[in-house]
Amino acid sequence: MKLRLGRWLCAQRLNYRRGKLKPDRLKLLQSLVEEGKLSWDNQERRGNDAAWEKHYKLLLQWSEEHDGDCNMPVTGKVLLGDGSIAGVGLWLYHQRAAYRSGSLRKDREEILQALVTSGRLEWLRNASEINTDNDSWDEKFDLLKKHAEENNNDCNVNLYHRVEREAGPPVLLGRWLNKQRADYRAGTLRSDRQERLQTLVDQKKLTWFFFDYDWDVRFSSLKSLAEKYGTVEAGIARHRKHHTYDHGHDEGISRWLTYQKRSRQRGKLLASREKQLQLLVDQGLMFWD
């Protein structure tokens, strides 16, 4: 039997991006990522490696003009031969941030560690960098809790949710939460931050996997529709005829249900989800065909 290793790896990457990779498998593959032997995105890996090496060489070039010191300030820039400017200082700031969070790739950490060992670089340049990062995270966490207080204890903001400020740019709270979930799946979320978010999960205010949350919300809408009109199909037909939808009922519920039925026919519907839908069928509230 021929092993199609390339296809298998492609499937693992796809499941990772969708948040469907099993925790034990995620942990095994993440160990290879941290060792620099694997990338979750192969094409991105090649491009990122080239950009990373370019900035590293520019940092060394800058250090030669500063008595071997590699501690470039965050605003530091290098003028390139074609007239463009490389933000090497900002790049170094991100490497330090990744190191503090434990998400810096091992091979890159070893390269920078050599500079640290030789006294040319410091991992923790100043406390203000750490405090700024922590203050920003704390602010967003507090905004997430405030959102829950105002929205029936629900912290699951959508990707595009933002919070306006009296002064300054809005807080992109949805993107921030999406990043925390991605770091959690990759095993790179700081333990103290994971613990704080886990308290919201334990309180049923937040879920680590948004796809599961979205499915549950749609199923709840489906069940409410069935209970009100006798069957799911009757409810969908009534709303389609009158072009009206009750508050809380998703206009895309018909398409969503069709997708669930097709997934079941193809053997791709999760057993736990099929069981929930089967309960509606057993109660006469829905039909598979």
Side-chain angles (χ1 to χ4, degrees):
M1 180 179 177
K2 186 177 180 180
L3 294 177
R4 300 183 182 275
L5 191 58
R7 290 187 180 181
W8 174 83
L9 181 56
C10 182
Q12 308 314 305
R13 284 173 169 150
L14 181 62
N15 286 334
Y16 168 77
R17 291 195 297 272
R18 292 177 174 175
K20 295 181 178 179
L21 193 59
K22 292 183 178 180
D24 56 334
R25 296 177 180 178
L26 173 61
K27 186 176 181 180
L28 289 172
L29 290 171
Q30 182 62 32
S31 65
L32 298 180
V33 173
E34 293 175 354
E35 292 171 7
K37 298 178 180 178
L38 177 69
S39 171
W40 286 119
D41 188 323
N42 201 31
Q43 296 200 357
E44 179 183 349
R45 165 69 179 269
R46 288 194 288 268
N48 283 347
D49 280 350
W52 196 94
E53 291 171 5
K54 173 186 175 182
H55 282 79
Y56 174 72
K57 291 177 180 177
L58 289 173
L59 179 65
L60 295 181
Q61 176 185 317
W62 181 86
S63 73
E64 293 174 359
E65 303 170 0
H66 294 79
D67 300 321
D69 184 8
C70 292
N71 294 291
M72 179 186 280
V74 70
T75 55
K77 297 178 176 62
V78 174
L79 180 64
L80 304 180
D82 60 1
S84 61
I85 296 176
V88 182
L90 183 60
W91 170 84
L92 179 59
Y93 170 82
H94 287 309
Q95 306 312 305
R96 284 170 166 152
Y99 170 77
R100 293 196 300 270
S101 68
S103 60
L104 183 62
R105 268 175 39 187
K106 294 300 180 183
D107 57 330
R108 296 177 176 179
E109 180 179 335
E110 289 173 1
I111 292 173
L112 293 174
Q113 183 60 46
L115 298 179
V116 174
T117 303
S118 63
R120 299 175 62 187
L121 178 70
E122 297 175 15
W123 281 122
L124 304 178
R125 182 59 173 170
N126 55 61
S128 64
E129 288 184 359
I130 302 174
N131 291 337
T132 299
D133 179 52
N134 284 338
D135 290 345
S136 176
W137 197 95
D138 290 342
E139 177 193 14
K140 294 179 177 67
F141 181 74
D142 289 340
L143 286 173
L144 191 67
K145 291 197 299 182
K146 182 178 180 181
H147 180 274
E149 293 172 359
E150 299 172 351
N151 293 273
N152 299 318
N153 289 322
D154 186 2
C155 291
N156 295 288
V157 297
N158 66 55
L159 179 61
Y160 304 103
H161 184 82
R162 59 171 60 194
V163 179
E164 299 295 336
R165 289 170 166 166
E166 292 183 1
V171 178
L172 305 180
L173 193 61
R175 293 187 179 277
W176 173 82
L177 180 57
N178 187 59
K179 178 64 166 58
Q180 308 312 304
R181 285 171 167 150
D183 288 346
Y184 171 79
R185 293 196 300 270
T188 57
L189 184 61
R190 269 176 39 181
S191 58
D192 58 324
R193 294 176 176 178
Q194 181 173 327
E195 288 177 2
R196 294 175 68 183
L197 289 168
Q198 185 62 45
T199 59
L200 300 180
V201 174
D202 294 341
Q203 295 167 4
K204 307 298 183 184
K205 297 179 180 179
L206 178 70
T207 177
W208 285 119
F209 301 98
F210 184 75
F211 291 112
D212 290 340
Y213 169 76
D214 184 62
W215 197 94
D216 290 341
V217 169
R218 290 175 184 267
F219 177 76
S220 178
S221 294
L222 188 75
K223 186 177 179 181
S224 297
L225 201 64
E227 291 173 345
K228 182 173 183 178
Y229 295 102
T231 67
V232 169
E233 289 75 13
I236 291 176
R238 179 181 176 82
H239 285 239
R240 186 176 292 162
K241 179 179 179 180
H242 297 284
H243 303 287
T244 58
Y245 287 84
D246 292 344
H247 177 73
H249 289 148
D250 183 0
E251 288 192 40
I253 198 69
S254 178
R255 292 190 299 272
W256 176 83
L257 179 58
T258 298
Y259 179 77
Q260 306 308 311
K261 290 180 177 180
R262 287 177 179 173
S263 295
R264 177 177 177 269
Q265 291 171 351
R266 297 168 183 170
K268 294 184 177 181
L269 184 61
L270 293 177
S272 59
R273 294 179 176 177
E274 182 176 345
K275 184 177 180 180
Q276 286 182 264
L277 290 169
Q278 185 61 47
L279 287 175
L280 297 183
V281 174
D282 293 342
Q283 294 168 15
L285 299 175
M286 190 187 91
F287 304 97
W288 283 121
D289 300 321

Short mmCIF file of all heavy atoms in Angstrom, two decimals, residues 105-151:
data_model
loop_
_atom_site.label_atom_id
_atom_site.label_comp_id
_atom_site.label_asym_id
_atom_site.label_seq_id
_atom_site.Cartn_x
_atom_site.Cartn_y
_atom_site.Cartn_z
N ARG A 105 9.95 30.37 16.95
CA ARG A 105 10.44 29.09 16.46
C ARG A 105 11.81 28.77 17.05
O ARG A 105 12.66 29.65 17.19
CB ARG A 105 10.53 29.13 14.92
CG ARG A 105 9.28 28.63 14.24
CD ARG A 105 9.32 28.78 12.75
NE ARG A 105 10.61 28.49 12.15
CZ ARG A 105 10.87 28.71 10.85
NH1 ARG A 105 9.94 29.21 10.07
NH2 ARG A 105 12.06 28.42 10.36
N LYS A 106 12.02 27.51 17.39
CA LYS A 106 13.23 27.09 18.07
C LYS A 106 14.49 27.41 17.28
O LYS A 106 15.50 27.82 17.84
CB LYS A 106 13.16 25.60 18.38
CG LYS A 106 12.08 25.22 19.39
CD LYS A 106 12.29 25.91 20.72
CE LYS A 106 11.20 25.51 21.71
NZ LYS A 106 11.34 26.23 23.00
N ASP A 107 14.46 27.19 15.96
CA ASP A 107 15.66 27.46 15.16
C ASP A 107 16.00 28.95 15.17
O ASP A 107 17.18 29.33 15.21
CB ASP A 107 15.48 26.95 13.73
CG ASP A 107 14.26 27.54 13.04
OD1 ASP A 107 13.27 27.86 13.74
OD2 ASP A 107 14.29 27.69 11.80
N ARG A 108 14.96 29.80 15.15
CA ARG A 108 15.21 31.25 15.20
C ARG A 108 15.67 31.68 16.59
O ARG A 108 16.52 32.55 16.72
CB ARG A 108 13.94 31.98 14.79
CG ARG A 108 13.54 31.71 13.35
CD ARG A 108 12.24 32.39 12.96
NE ARG A 108 11.95 32.17 11.54
CZ ARG A 108 10.86 32.62 10.92
NH1 ARG A 108 9.97 33.32 11.60
NH2 ARG A 108 10.68 32.38 9.63
N GLU A 109 15.08 31.07 17.60
CA GLU A 109 15.50 31.39 18.96
C GLU A 109 16.98 31.07 19.17
O GLU A 109 17.71 31.83 19.80
CB GLU A 109 14.64 30.62 19.96
CG GLU A 109 15.00 30.89 21.41
CD GLU A 109 14.13 30.12 22.39
OE1 GLU A 109 13.00 29.76 22.03
OE2 GLU A 109 14.62 29.87 23.52
N GLU A 110 17.43 29.93 18.61
CA GLU A 110 18.82 29.53 18.76
C GLU A 110 19.76 30.52 18.08
O GLU A 110 20.84 30.84 18.60
CB GLU A 110 19.02 28.13 18.19
CG GLU A 110 18.36 27.03 19.03
CD GLU A 110 18.42 25.67 18.36
OE1 GLU A 110 18.98 25.58 17.25
OE2 GLU A 110 17.90 24.70 18.96
N ILE A 111 19.34 31.02 16.91
CA ILE A 111 20.16 31.99 16.19
C ILE A 111 20.31 33.28 17.00
O ILE A 111 21.42 33.82 17.15
CB ILE A 111 19.55 32.30 14.80
CG1 ILE A 111 19.63 31.06 13.91
CG2 ILE A 111 20.24 33.48 14.14
CD1 ILE A 111 18.90 31.20 12.59
N LEU A 112 19.19 33.78 17.53
CA LEU A 112 19.24 35.01 18.33
C LEU A 112 19.90 34.77 19.68
O LEU A 112 20.57 35.66 20.23
CB LEU A 112 17.82 35.55 18.52
CG LEU A 112 17.14 36.05 17.23
CD1 LEU A 112 15.69 36.43 17.51
CD2 LEU A 112 17.89 37.24 16.65
N GLN A 113 19.74 33.57 20.22
CA GLN A 113 20.36 33.25 21.51
C GLN A 113 21.87 33.34 21.42
O GLN A 113 22.55 33.69 22.39
CB GLN A 113 19.93 31.86 21.96
CG GLN A 113 20.47 31.44 23.33
CD GLN A 113 20.03 32.37 24.45
OE1 GLN A 113 18.85 32.73 24.52
NE2 GLN A 113 20.95 32.77 25.31
N ALA A 114 22.43 33.01 20.25
CA ALA A 114 23.88 33.12 20.07
C ALA A 114 24.34 34.56 20.26
O ALA A 114 25.40 34.81 20.84
CB ALA A 114 24.26 32.61 18.67
N LEU A 115 23.51 35.51 19.81
CA LEU A 115 23.85 36.93 20.01
C LEU A 115 23.70 37.31 21.48
O LEU A 115 24.48 38.11 22.01
CB LEU A 115 22.92 37.81 19.15
CG LEU A 115 23.01 37.62 17.63
CD1 LEU A 115 22.01 38.53 16.93
CD2 LEU A 115 24.42 37.90 17.13
N VAL A 116 22.69 36.74 22.13
CA VAL A 116 22.49 37.01 23.57
C VAL A 116 23.68 36.47 24.37
O VAL A 116 24.21 37.15 25.25
CB VAL A 116 21.18 36.36 24.06
CG1 VAL A 116 21.05 36.50 25.58
CG2 VAL A 116 19.97 36.99 23.36
N THR A 117 24.08 35.25 24.05
CA THR A 117 25.19 34.61 24.77
C THR A 117 26.49 35.39 24.60
O THR A 117 27.29 35.49 25.55
CB THR A 117 25.40 33.17 24.24
OG1 THR A 117 24.16 32.44 24.41
CG2 THR A 117 26.51 32.46 25.02
N SER A 118 26.66 35.98 23.42
CA SER A 118 27.89 36.75 23.17
C SER A 118 27.81 38.16 23.71
O SER A 118 28.76 38.95 23.58
CB SER A 118 28.16 36.80 21.66
OG SER A 118 27.11 37.48 20.98
N GLY A 119 26.68 38.52 24.33
CA GLY A 119 26.54 39.84 24.94
C GLY A 119 26.17 40.94 23.97
O GLY A 119 26.20 42.12 24.31
N ARG A 120 25.76 40.56 22.76
CA ARG A 120 25.43 41.57 21.75
C ARG A 120 23.94 41.92 21.74
O ARG A 120 23.54 42.91 21.13
CB ARG A 120 25.86 41.08 20.37
CG ARG A 120 27.35 40.80 20.24
CD ARG A 120 27.70 40.20 18.89
NE ARG A 120 27.36 41.11 17.80
CZ ARG A 120 27.43 40.79 16.51
NH1 ARG A 120 27.79 39.56 16.16
NH2 ARG A 120 27.11 41.67 15.58
N LEU A 121 23.13 41.07 22.37
CA LEU A 121 21.68 41.27 22.34
C LEU A 121 21.08 40.92 23.68
O LEU A 121 21.61 40.07 24.41
CB LEU A 121 21.06 40.38 21.24
CG LEU A 121 19.54 40.42 21.08
CD1 LEU A 121 19.10 41.77 20.51
CD2 LEU A 121 19.07 39.29 20.17
N GLU A 122 19.98 41.60 24.03
CA GLU A 122 19.24 41.31 25.26
C GLU A 122 17.82 40.90 24.88
O GLU A 122 17.17 41.56 24.06
CB GLU A 122 19.20 42.53 26.17
CG GLU A 122 20.57 42.99 26.67
CD GLU A 122 20.48 44.28 27.47
OE1 GLU A 122 19.35 44.65 27.88
OE2 GLU A 122 21.52 44.94 27.67
N TRP A 123 17.33 39.82 25.49
CA TRP A 123 15.96 39.40 25.23
C TRP A 123 14.96 40.40 25.80
O TRP A 123 13.95 40.71 25.19
CB TRP A 123 15.69 38.03 25.84
CG TRP A 123 16.20 36.87 25.05
CD1 TRP A 123 17.08 35.91 25.45
CD2 TRP A 123 15.86 36.51 23.70
NE1 TRP A 123 17.32 34.99 24.46
CE2 TRP A 123 16.57 35.34 23.35
CE3 TRP A 123 15.02 37.09 22.73
CZ2 TRP A 123 16.47 34.73 22.11
CZ3 TRP A 123 14.92 36.47 21.49
CH2 TRP A 123 15.64 35.31 21.19
N LEU A 124 15.21 40.88 26.99
CA LEU A 124 14.32 41.82 27.66
C LEU A 124 15.03 43.16 27.72
O LEU A 124 15.73 43.48 28.69
CB LEU A 124 13.96 41.33 29.07
CG LEU A 124 13.34 39.93 29.12
CD1 LEU A 124 13.07 39.52 30.56
CD2 LEU A 124 12.05 39.89 28.32
N ARG A 125 14.86 43.94 26.68
CA ARG A 125 15.59 45.21 26.57
C ARG A 125 15.18 46.19 27.65
O ARG A 125 16.00 46.83 28.27
CB ARG A 125 15.34 45.82 25.18
CG ARG A 125 16.07 47.13 24.94
CD ARG A 125 17.58 46.95 25.08
NE ARG A 125 18.30 48.15 24.69
CZ ARG A 125 19.59 48.34 24.90
NH1 ARG A 125 20.29 47.41 25.52
NH2 ARG A 125 20.17 49.45 24.52
N ASN A 126 13.87 46.32 27.87
CA ASN A 126 13.40 47.21 28.94
C ASN A 126 12.01 46.78 29.37
O ASN A 126 11.28 46.12 28.64
CB ASN A 126 13.39 48.69 28.50
CG ASN A 126 12.59 48.89 27.23
OD1 ASN A 126 11.40 48.61 27.21
ND2 ASN A 126 13.23 49.37 26.16
N ALA A 127 11.66 47.15 30.58
CA ALA A 127 10.38 46.72 31.16
C ALA A 127 9.19 47.34 30.45
O ALA A 127 8.10 46.78 30.45
CB ALA A 127 10.34 47.09 32.64
N SER A 128 9.39 48.51 29.82
CA SER A 128 8.26 49.19 29.18
C SER A 128 7.67 48.35 28.05
O SER A 128 6.47 48.38 27.80
CB SER A 128 8.69 50.55 28.65
OG SER A 128 9.65 50.41 27.62
N GLU A 129 8.52 47.59 27.33
CA GLU A 129 8.02 46.75 26.26
C GLU A 129 7.04 45.71 26.80
O GLU A 129 5.98 45.46 26.24
CB GLU A 129 9.17 46.04 25.55
CG GLU A 129 10.01 46.96 24.68
CD GLU A 129 11.08 46.20 23.92
OE1 GLU A 129 11.16 44.97 24.10
OE2 GLU A 129 11.83 46.83 23.16
N ILE A 130 7.41 45.09 27.93
CA ILE A 130 6.58 44.07 28.54
C ILE A 130 5.30 44.67 29.09
O ILE A 130 4.21 44.15 28.90
CB ILE A 130 7.35 43.35 29.67
CG1 ILE A 130 8.63 42.74 29.11
CG2 ILE A 130 6.50 42.29 30.32
CD1 ILE A 130 9.53 42.13 30.16
N ASN A 131 5.43 45.82 29.75
CA ASN A 131 4.26 46.44 30.35
C ASN A 131 3.25 46.88 29.30
O ASN A 131 2.04 46.75 29.48
CB ASN A 131 4.69 47.65 31.20
CG ASN A 131 5.46 47.22 32.44
OD1 ASN A 131 5.32 46.10 32.90
ND2 ASN A 131 6.29 48.10 32.97
N THR A 132 3.77 47.44 28.17
CA THR A 132 2.88 47.88 27.10
C THR A 132 2.08 46.71 26.54
O THR A 132 0.87 46.80 26.33
CB THR A 132 3.68 48.54 25.97
OG1 THR A 132 4.37 49.68 26.49
CG2 THR A 132 2.77 48.97 24.83
N ASP A 133 2.74 45.59 26.33
CA ASP A 133 2.09 44.39 25.81
C ASP A 133 1.03 43.89 26.78
O ASP A 133 -0.08 43.56 26.40
CB ASP A 133 3.15 43.31 25.56
CG ASP A 133 2.52 42.02 25.05
OD1 ASP A 133 1.77 42.08 24.07
OD2 ASP A 133 2.79 40.96 25.63
N ASN A 134 1.37 43.85 28.06
CA ASN A 134 0.43 43.36 29.08
C ASN A 134 -0.76 44.29 29.24
O ASN A 134 -1.90 43.84 29.37
CB ASN A 134 1.15 43.20 30.43
CG ASN A 134 2.03 41.96 30.46
OD1 ASN A 134 1.82 41.04 29.69
ND2 ASN A 134 3.01 41.96 31.34
N ASP A 135 -0.50 45.61 29.23
CA ASP A 135 -1.58 46.58 29.39
C ASP A 135 -2.58 46.47 28.24
O ASP A 135 -3.79 46.54 28.44
CB ASP A 135 -1.02 48.01 29.45
CG ASP A 135 -0.25 48.27 30.73
OD1 ASP A 135 -0.40 47.46 31.68
OD2 ASP A 135 0.50 49.26 30.79
N SER A 136 -2.07 46.30 27.01
CA SER A 136 -2.94 46.18 25.85
C SER A 136 -3.79 44.92 25.95
O SER A 136 -4.99 44.95 25.66
CB SER A 136 -2.09 46.14 24.58
OG SER A 136 -2.89 45.93 23.45
N TRP A 137 -3.20 43.82 26.38
CA TRP A 137 -3.93 42.57 26.51
C TRP A 137 -4.99 42.69 27.60
O TRP A 137 -6.13 42.26 27.41
CB TRP A 137 -2.97 41.43 26.84
CG TRP A 137 -3.54 40.07 26.59
CD1 TRP A 137 -3.41 39.30 25.47
CD2 TRP A 137 -4.38 39.30 27.49
NE1 TRP A 137 -4.10 38.11 25.60
CE2 TRP A 137 -4.70 38.08 26.82
CE3 TRP A 137 -4.87 39.52 28.77
CZ2 TRP A 137 -5.50 37.11 27.41
CZ3 TRP A 137 -5.67 38.55 29.35
CH2 TRP A 137 -5.98 37.36 28.68
N ASP A 138 -4.63 43.26 28.72
CA ASP A 138 -5.57 43.42 29.83
C ASP A 138 -6.77 44.28 29.42
O ASP A 138 -7.91 44.00 29.81
CB ASP A 138 -4.87 44.06 31.03
CG ASP A 138 -3.88 43.12 31.68
OD1 ASP A 138 -3.97 41.90 31.44
OD2 ASP A 138 -3.00 43.59 32.43
N GLU A 139 -6.49 45.33 28.65
CA GLU A 139 -7.57 46.21 28.19
C GLU A 139 -8.58 45.44 27.35
O GLU A 139 -9.80 45.56 27.54
CB GLU A 139 -7.00 47.37 27.37
CG GLU A 139 -8.08 48.29 26.80
CD GLU A 139 -7.56 49.25 25.74
OE1 GLU A 139 -6.43 49.04 25.25
OE2 GLU A 139 -8.29 50.18 25.39
N LYS A 140 -8.08 44.62 26.43
CA LYS A 140 -8.97 43.87 25.55
C LYS A 140 -9.73 42.79 26.33
O LYS A 140 -10.90 42.51 26.05
CB LYS A 140 -8.16 43.25 24.41
CG LYS A 140 -7.56 44.29 23.45
CD LYS A 140 -6.76 43.63 22.37
CE LYS A 140 -6.24 44.66 21.37
NZ LYS A 140 -5.24 45.57 21.96
N PHE A 141 -9.07 42.19 27.30
CA PHE A 141 -9.75 41.18 28.12
C PHE A 141 -10.89 41.81 28.90
O PHE A 141 -11.98 41.24 29.01
CB PHE A 141 -8.74 40.53 29.08
CG PHE A 141 -9.34 39.45 29.94
CD1 PHE A 141 -9.65 38.21 29.42
CD2 PHE A 141 -9.60 39.69 31.29
CE1 PHE A 141 -10.22 37.22 30.21
CE2 PHE A 141 -10.16 38.72 32.09
CZ PHE A 141 -10.47 37.46 31.55
N ASP A 142 -10.64 43.01 29.46
CA ASP A 142 -11.69 43.71 30.20
C ASP A 142 -12.85 44.10 29.28
O ASP A 142 -14.02 44.04 29.69
CB ASP A 142 -11.11 44.97 30.86
CG ASP A 142 -10.19 44.63 32.02
OD1 ASP A 142 -10.28 43.51 32.55
OD2 ASP A 142 -9.36 45.49 32.40
N LEU A 143 -12.54 44.49 28.04
CA LEU A 143 -13.60 44.83 27.08
C LEU A 143 -14.43 43.61 26.72
O LEU A 143 -15.64 43.70 26.51
CB LEU A 143 -12.97 45.44 25.82
CG LEU A 143 -12.44 46.86 25.94
CD1 LEU A 143 -11.70 47.26 24.67
CD2 LEU A 143 -13.58 47.85 26.22
N LEU A 144 -13.76 42.46 26.66
CA LEU A 144 -14.48 41.22 26.37
C LEU A 144 -15.46 40.89 27.49
O LEU A 144 -16.60 40.50 27.24
CB LEU A 144 -13.48 40.07 26.18
CG LEU A 144 -14.04 38.77 25.61
CD1 LEU A 144 -14.49 38.97 24.18
CD2 LEU A 144 -12.98 37.66 25.68
N LYS A 145 -15.03 41.04 28.73
CA LYS A 145 -15.91 40.79 29.87
C LYS A 145 -17.07 41.79 29.90
O LYS A 145 -18.21 41.43 30.22
CB LYS A 145 -15.11 40.86 31.18
CG LYS A 145 -14.13 39.71 31.36
CD LYS A 145 -13.68 39.58 32.81
CE LYS A 145 -12.97 40.84 33.28
NZ LYS A 145 -12.50 40.69 34.68
N LYS A 146 -16.77 43.04 29.55
CA LYS A 146 -17.82 44.06 29.52
C LYS A 146 -18.86 43.71 28.46
O LYS A 146 -20.07 43.89 28.67
CB LYS A 146 -17.21 45.42 29.23
CG LYS A 146 -18.22 46.56 29.23
CD LYS A 146 -17.55 47.90 28.98
CE LYS A 146 -18.58 49.03 28.98
NZ LYS A 146 -17.95 50.35 28.69
N HIS A 147 -18.39 43.22 27.31
CA HIS A 147 -19.31 42.81 26.26
C HIS A 147 -20.24 41.72 26.75
O HIS A 147 -21.44 41.71 26.45
CB HIS A 147 -18.52 42.31 25.04
CG HIS A 147 -19.39 41.86 23.90
ND1 HIS A 147 -19.91 40.58 23.81
CD2 HIS A 147 -19.87 42.52 22.81
CE1 HIS A 147 -20.63 40.48 22.73
NE2 HIS A 147 -20.64 41.63 22.10
N ALA A 148 -19.70 40.77 27.52
CA ALA A 148 -20.51 39.68 28.06
C ALA A 148 -21.59 40.21 29.00
O ALA A 148 -22.74 39.74 28.98
CB ALA A 148 -19.62 38.67 28.77
N GLU A 149 -21.22 41.18 29.81
CA GLU A 149 -22.17 41.75 30.76
C GLU A 149 -23.34 42.41 30.05
O GLU A 149 -24.47 42.43 30.55
CB GLU A 149 -21.47 42.78 31.65
CG GLU A 149 -20.42 42.16 32.58
CD GLU A 149 -19.60 43.21 33.30
OE1 GLU A 149 -19.83 44.43 33.05
OE2 GLU A 149 -18.72 42.84 34.11
N GLU A 150 -23.07 42.94 28.86
CA GLU A 150 -24.11 43.66 28.11
C GLU A 150 -24.82 42.77 27.09
O GLU A 150 -25.76 43.23 26.43
CB GLU A 150 -23.47 44.86 27.39
CG GLU A 150 -22.84 45.87 28.34
CD GLU A 150 -22.04 46.94 27.62
OE1 GLU A 150 -21.84 46.79 26.39
OE2 GLU A 150 -21.62 47.91 28.27
N ASN A 151 -24.37 41.51 26.94
CA ASN A 151 -24.93 40.63 25.92
C ASN A 151 -25.16 39.21 26.44
O ASN A 151 -24.66 38.23 25.88
CB ASN A 151 -24.00 40.59 24.70
CG ASN A 151 -23.92 41.90 23.97
OD1 ASN A 151 -24.73 42.20 23.10
ND2 ASN A 151 -22.93 42.73 24.34
#
